[in-house]
Amino acid sequence: MDFSPAVSSPRLLLRRFISTIYCIFESAFSKLTYWTTGACKGTNSFVSSAGDKLDQNKDQNPTIPTSVNYHFTRKCNYKCGFCFHTAKTSFVLPLEEAKRGLKLLKESGMEKINFSGGEPFLHDKGEFVGKLVQYCKQDLQLPSVSIVSNGSMIKEEWFQKYGVYLDILAISCDSFDEATNQLIGRTQGRKSHLDNLFKICSWCKEYKVALKINSVINIFNYDEDMTQQINWINPVRWKVFQCLLIDGENAGETALREAERFVISDQQFQDFLDRHSSVSCLVPESNEKMRNSYLILDEYMRFLDCREGRKDPSKSILDVGVKEAICFSGFDEKMFLKRGGKYVWSKADMKLEW
């Protein structure tokens, strides 16, 4: 028996070809319709199920903005060579818009707000940040309200008016040698940075504000011994940061600073920590701990994602809300907890001896 295929006419072959193509398109179209209608109508299709699980995970494990750093201004009167939040704009939100954003954050679970810059006391001679501090403590009743400042613009009158609403004031001090501060850029003209620091220390005690010291360890101060001075000041925390490069801020073609010359090795940073191991209030932060463990809001109230070594902004919480914007923050909550980001941050709970 002959099993060789019969020779079909050209017309029959054409009809079979057209029929085959039609079946392929019909099958593909039906699957596409099934998938899309399933996703929209909530059927049990694979695409719908996977999408639902992603949404459920986001709803069940949302990032809570427990502690937020709001850099409401980029302008500063100092010129620190390693600064990683530089004066790329002069924009500052209107006071009421800033308050609206802070209320959104409180409603999303914020417990601590830290106001930073730039220099927070430069805008409106400290009145702007003072009003925000008062609003957060008096109206929003946040457990902790803090400021990071270089200290050069703070007057005693500010403490008299707003000190009662402030839990922690962090003053940046990288050296107890004026010549080193000059090299770093931690100065304005011939004014003494250290004289300002010591005045603020006494004001903090008088007006019952917890004092914190922030130091950036770099090539000009990594071999300094600050033990005696820090113990004398006796801050509630001494945050010690390893100099960090951020593309577009203090590194790269578009940066306003060139911080490469300030960078130290991990070993040099560790040597500094070892030298100060007896200081009980020391809280070290290496580049690894620092990079993604902060929730940072810029002057437009956009979260800044630093995972790629630069600051990629989300949409503003004023436009899309906290829940959507925070998904683009790059926040590493585990590292936040590992670096000691959660601590006793309300002065009412510190039991300090004023």
Side-chain angles (χ1 to χ4, degrees), residues 53-65:
K53 286 180 181 178
L54 285 172
D55 289 340
Q56 287 172 7
N57 288 336
K58 286 172 67 177
D59 290 338
Q60 291 172 2
N61 303 298
T63 299
I64 305 298

Side-chain angles (χ1 to χ4, degrees), residues 83-340:
C83 180
F84 54 83
H85 201 76
T86 55
K88 305 191 82 171
T89 77
S90 59
F91 180 80
V92 177
L93 276 172
L95 181 64
E96 293 306 313
E97 280 294 274
K99 286 182 177 180
R100 181 167 73 88
L102 292 167
K103 185 178 180 182
L104 291 174
L105 289 164
K106 167 64 188 305
E107 291 169 348
S108 297
M110 180 175 68
E111 298 177 20
K112 181 181 185 295
I113 182 68
N114 179 54
F115 296 107
S116 189
E119 172 48 48
F121 286 85
L122 192 61
H123 185 64
D124 197 20
K125 298 180 179 180
E127 280 297 303
F128 185 87
V129 71
K131 290 173 181 176
L132 291 181
V133 165
Q134 182 176 359
Y135 174 73
C136 286
K137 182 58 73 171
Q138 193 172 51
D139 294 71
L140 299 183
Q141 298 186 342
L142 292 181
S144 183
V145 181
S146 64
I147 302 174
V148 175
S149 168
N150 61 37
S152 64
M153 307 289 293
I154 304 176
K155 307 296 182 185
E156 186 175 6
E157 291 76 16
W158 191 94
F159 279 95
Q160 293 170 347
K161 189 173 182 179
Y162 297 111
V164 67
Y165 308 112
L166 185 65
D167 290 279
I168 302 169
L169 176 62
I171 300 297
S172 299
C173 181
D174 308 311
S175 175
F176 289 93
D177 182 281
E178 292 287 16
T180 302
N181 286 324
Q182 290 280 346
L183 281 172
I184 290 171
R186 183 76 74 186
T187 186
Q188 183 181 20
R190 295 183 178 180
K191 294 181 181 178
S192 169
H193 181 71
L194 297 178
D195 285 350
N196 285 329
L197 171 62
F198 297 139
K199 279 193 299 185
I200 290 168
C201 288
S202 63
W203 289 339
C204 283
K205 290 180 181 178
E206 183 175 353
Y207 296 99
K208 296 180 172 56
V209 174
L211 178 68
K212 178 179 165 187
I213 300 294
N214 287 353
S215 301
V216 177
I217 309 308
N218 61 86
I219 198 65
F220 294 110
N221 68 355
Y222 78 93
D223 58 352
E224 187 173 338
D225 189 343
M226 307 182 192
T227 303
Q228 183 178 354
Q229 294 88 343
I230 293 295
N231 284 335
W232 182 83
I233 293 171
N234 193 27
V236 294
R237 280 162 77 85
W238 180 30
K239 292 288 286 291
V240 172
F241 304 97
Q242 183 181 4
C243 181
L244 177 68
L245 295 181
I246 297 290
D247 189 59
E249 296 283 357
N250 61 13
E253 294 181 359
T254 62
L256 297 183
R257 295 286 190 275
E258 295 179 359
E260 287 89 349
R261 67 191 182 98
F262 289 87
V263 172
I264 58 173
S265 67
D266 292 344
Q267 185 57 55
Q268 288 171 318
F269 184 62
Q270 187 59 51
D271 289 344
F272 183 90
L273 298 181
D274 292 342
R275 192 179 310 119
H276 296 88
S277 59
S278 64
V279 181
S280 60
C281 61
L282 188 152
V283 181
E285 289 194 17
S286 63
N287 287 173
E288 179 190 8
K289 288 183 178 180
M290 186 179 175
R291 191 181 302 276
N292 306 319
S293 63
Y294 285 84
L295 276 174
I296 302 174
L297 280 181
D298 72 0
E299 64 273 27
Y300 301 100
M301 284 196 155
R302 304 177 301 185
F303 286 109
L304 298 178
D305 182 350
C306 301
R307 285 176 295 182
E308 299 299 322
R310 57 180 184 269
K311 291 181 175 178
D312 296 322
S314 69
K315 293 181 180 179
S316 173
I317 65 171
L318 298 171
D319 296 328
V320 300
V322 175
K323 184 177 180 180
E324 179 175 337
I326 205 169
C327 293
F328 299 92
S329 65
F331 180 57
D332 186 344
E333 187 174 12
K334 289 183 179 178
M335 186 59 76
F336 166 74
L337 296 172
K338 183 178 179 180
R339 69 167 173 81

Side-chain angles (χ1 to χ4, degrees), residues 8-21:
S8 303
S9 68
R11 182 176 296 178
L12 181 59
L13 288 173
L14 180 61
R15 282 204 303 267
R16 287 178 177 174
F17 175 76
I18 293 172
S19 177
T20 302
I21 295 297

